[in-house]
Amino acid sequence: MNEAIENMITRRSVRKYKSDAIPEDVLERIIKAGTYAPTGMGKQSPVIIAVTDKELRDKLSRMNARIMGKGEDFDPFYGAPAVLVVLA
């Protein structure tokens, strides 16, 4: 079976991530794959920003939790060590 299809079939939801840093080369491959994702009529050029600084990542988490109406202790990123911000 095609590897992409297999990944979609066996995908599982994640409620917590390891706190280990993602290797730079892996993060770069993920970002590159994201820039090739389909866009509306092919007219959007996405910009993907990787937030790996813990202090900034935590600040974004708190802001996001506040917007969601959750408490300050809620982490909408489920402990992920990196957050990708996609702008298009």
Side-chain angles (χ1 to χ4, degrees):
M1 181 179 295
N2 177 308
E3 184 178 355
I5 300 295
E6 180 68 24
N7 288 338
M8 287 188 279
I9 291 171
T10 60
R11 176 195 83 64
R12 297 292 177 262
S13 294
V14 176
R15 292 190 176 88
K16 185 175 181 183
Y17 292 93
K18 293 179 180 179
S19 61
D20 304 344
I22 299 170
E24 188 71 28
D25 63 317
V26 173
L27 192 55
E28 288 296 324
R29 284 186 291 175
I30 292 168
I31 292 170
K32 184 175 181 179
T35 62
Y36 285 95
T39 61
M41 298 177 60
K43 295 188 180 209
Q44 297 172 346
S45 298
V47 174
I48 302 174
I49 301 168
V51 178
T52 55
D53 177 76
K54 181 165 178 22
E55 186 177 325
L56 180 56
R57 179 248 177 255
D58 291 347
K59 183 177 179 178
L60 288 174
S61 175
R62 287 189 302 273
M63 291 169 57
N64 196 353
R66 198 168 31 250
I67 290 168
M68 295 172 69
K70 303 283 186 174
E72 290 287 323
D73 58 335
F74 177 75
D75 180 7
F77 304 136
Y78 300 102
V83 175
L84 300 181
V85 179
V86 181
L87 309 170

